[in-house]
Amino acid sequence: MAASLQAAATLMQPTKVGVLSRTGVQLRPSQSVSKAFGLDPIGVRLTCSLQTDLKDLAQKCADATKIAGFALATSALVVSGASAEGVPKRLTFDEIQSKTYMEVKGTGTANQCPTIDGGVDSFAFKPGKYYAKKLCLEPTSFTVKAESVNKNAPPEFQKTKLMTRLTYTLDEIEGPFEVSTDSTIKFEEKDGIDYAAVTVQLPGGERVPFLFTIKQLVASGKPESFGGDFLVPSYRGSSFLDPKGRGGSTGYDNAVALPAGGRGDEEELAKENNKSTASSSGKITFSVTQSKLETGEVIGVFESVQPSDTDLGAKTPKDVKISGIWYAQLDS
């Protein structure tokens, strides 16, 4: 890269022209340019006639300028490619805690759940009552059930494009965790950062907002597959006002210029006028893939299906399937 930049800078400088005679000129390229472009630096000369080859000289100078520009563009591309960062390496809980704010800022690590170094590929905890803390859910896939692009095809879950920044991971969730003698697991969600507003975009361009959450979750089952239902609150609160000033607990009862008792009470506009902040429910399934008894850590994968935003009751919700990984610490 340094050689190409040096060559480009040299070519951009004015070329020294020495007059050999009344009929010809001589161009003396520097050795650095010759070495940069793989030329033999000895005796590289270009001669042309002032009368017959003036156009060729101008063309060669223009080509040299293009080469210099190409070298600079290539160098910039290499620099930008070298500094581009991909998905950060997944760290353990202790490694994350040992980093400073500036070491984590802008790397994407804050949106990742920790991993486990060592352990066994099974659930190694004995029967008893534990307390789960630091429960983290990191989505890795969002699909939305929508009409298929093919005609006469049933609705199916389609891949989406994430429109939200890296702020969709749930963390610091805690609650009682019980392991029965028959290896049955029961977990109740009590507190934590248990919701996150997310927006995804379907292939057709439609954007689907939803509230990723596991509020009031009660999950039970075997370590290989345990889950349950949870509460999905309204995406917006009752005090939110739509563009026409209508809300659930405040604002207008009808749209402006639609008098009460008139067209504003028609059935087709009832959902728009009568805002609803009713909650709905979702279902999630967990699976344990690794655990470490010494530190009380456990990780696995999950799959959740929940409804999307209803625009305060004005729209029919879509089913959103969320898949990802989870991490937790169990204290006896």
Side-chain angles (χ1 to χ4, degrees), residues 27 64 68-69 74 87 94 103 128 142 144 147 164 196 201 214 262 264 293 308-310 324 326:
L27 300 181
T74 304
V87 179
D94 293 335
E103 290 175 336
F142 298 100
V144 177
E147 295 182 359
T164 307
Q201 181 173 292
I214 57 167
L293 189 60
S308 65
D309 175 38
T310 63
W326 64 279

Side-chain angles (χ1 to χ4, degrees), residues 10 16 78 98 107 121-122 126 137 139 151 189 196 219 224 262 273 309 317:
T10 305
K16 296 181 180 180
V78 171
S98 65
T107 63
D121 297 335
S122 61
K126 298 180 180 180
L137 279 77
K151 293 183 178 180
E189 190 268 342
E224 298 78 14
N273 291 328
D309 175 38

Side-chain angles (χ1 to χ4, degrees), residues 2 13 61-62 65 80 103 122 163-164 188 226 302 308:
Q13 296 177 356
C61 292
T65 304
S80 62
E103 290 175 336
S122 61
M163 307 304 296
T164 307
E188 296 184 20
F226 66 99
F302 74 90
S308 65

Side-chain angles (χ1 to χ4, degrees), residues 43-63:
V44 181
R45 297 185 178 182
L46 175 65
T47 59
C48 58
S49 174
L50 288 176
Q51 297 178 354
T52 60
D53 297 337
L54 185 59
K55 293 183 179 180
D56 294 339
L57 177 60
Q59 182 64 35
K60 292 180 181 299
C61 292
D63 293 341

Side-chain angles (χ1 to χ4, degrees), residues 99-121:
K99 290 186 174 294
T100 63
Y101 171 78
M102 295 306 298
E103 290 175 336
V104 175
K105 179 182 178 182
T107 63
T109 301
N111 193 57
Q112 288 186 334
C113 291
T115 186
I116 295 178
D117 185 12
V120 295
D121 297 335

Side-chain angles (χ1 to χ4, degrees), residues 1 70-84:
M1 183 181 69
F70 176 75
L72 290 174
T74 304
S75 301
L77 182 61
V78 171
V79 172
S80 62
S83 62

